[in-house]
Amino acid sequence: MAQPAWYSQLTWEGPCSVAVVNQDRTIIPDFPGCYAFTTHPGPLLPNRVLYVGESRASLARRLTVYLVDWRLPKASESHKGKGFVLEARQQRGDHGVYLRWVRYGGAPWQVSQLEASLIEYLNPHGNDRDEEVRH
């Protein structure tokens, strides 16, 4: 699939390993946007992304659920995407899982549209497309 024109207009921050983000969570903006987890620090490419998500209010608050200690009981409880990211962290270590985010200044429903478009284009392994596209 060719890269859509809208995708080239996004300014992604990162990549940062989960280990680096866990050392200084203040690098994550308190701003709406979308985020992506990968197992490589290279560019975001279709079929090479673990999980894509969105935050309508604050990336900083939303991403903390993925940054918990995966060894704690009940750490992977909540939703499928979180379990998928925590499993990758367990297998690769926090230095082997990377996080990127893009700030978004539009309306909350537009952030959901951006997430759905990112899922469609990037085809992440951990997203259930049927559920995500319904936003």
Side-chain angles (χ1 to χ4, degrees), residues 77-94:
E77 290 182 12
S78 129
H79 65 83
K80 181 180 173 183
K82 178 182 174 185
F84 198 83
V85 170
L86 293 178
E87 182 180 323
R89 288 178 56 204
Q90 179 182 9
Q91 292 173 351
R92 297 175 169 277
D94 286 352

Side-chain angles (χ1 to χ4, degrees), residues 13 27 37-38 51 55 59 73 77 84 89 91 93 106 112 127:
E13 296 181 44
I27 63 175
F37 285 92
T38 65
Y51 185 74
S55 174
L59 286 163
E77 290 182 12
F84 198 83
R89 288 178 56 204
Q91 292 173 351
S112 294
N127 287 86

Side-chain angles (χ1 to χ4, degrees), residues 1-4 6-7 12 15 36-52 100 117-127 129:
M1 172 188 279
Q3 186 182 75
W6 60 264
Y7 186 79
W12 290 91
F37 285 92
T38 65
T39 57
H40 62 85
L44 292 174
L45 298 171
N47 303 309
R48 298 213 45 222
V49 175
L50 287 174
Y51 185 74
V52 168
R100 297 160 180 79
S117 296
L118 287 168
I119 290 168
E120 183 178 342
Y121 172 61
L122 293 171
N123 194 30
H125 302 292
N127 287 86
R129 279 139 216 57

Side-chain angles (χ1 to χ4, degrees), residues 4 15 22 84 91 101 111 117 122-123 128 132 134:
N22 263 331
F84 198 83
Q91 292 173 351
W101 55 85
V111 176
S117 296
L122 293 171
N123 194 30
D128 183 353
E132 299 294 338
R134 278 189 249 147

Side-chain angles (χ1 to χ4, degrees), residues 10-11 17 28 34 38 55 58-59 63 66-67 72-73 77 82 86 90 114 120 125 128:
L10 299 175
T11 303
S17 72
I28 305 170
C34 290
T38 65
S55 174
S58 169
L59 286 163
L63 287 169
Y66 299 96
L67 302 174
L72 295 175
E77 290 182 12
K82 178 182 174 185
L86 293 178
Q90 179 182 9
L114 175 59
E120 183 178 342
H125 302 292
D128 183 353

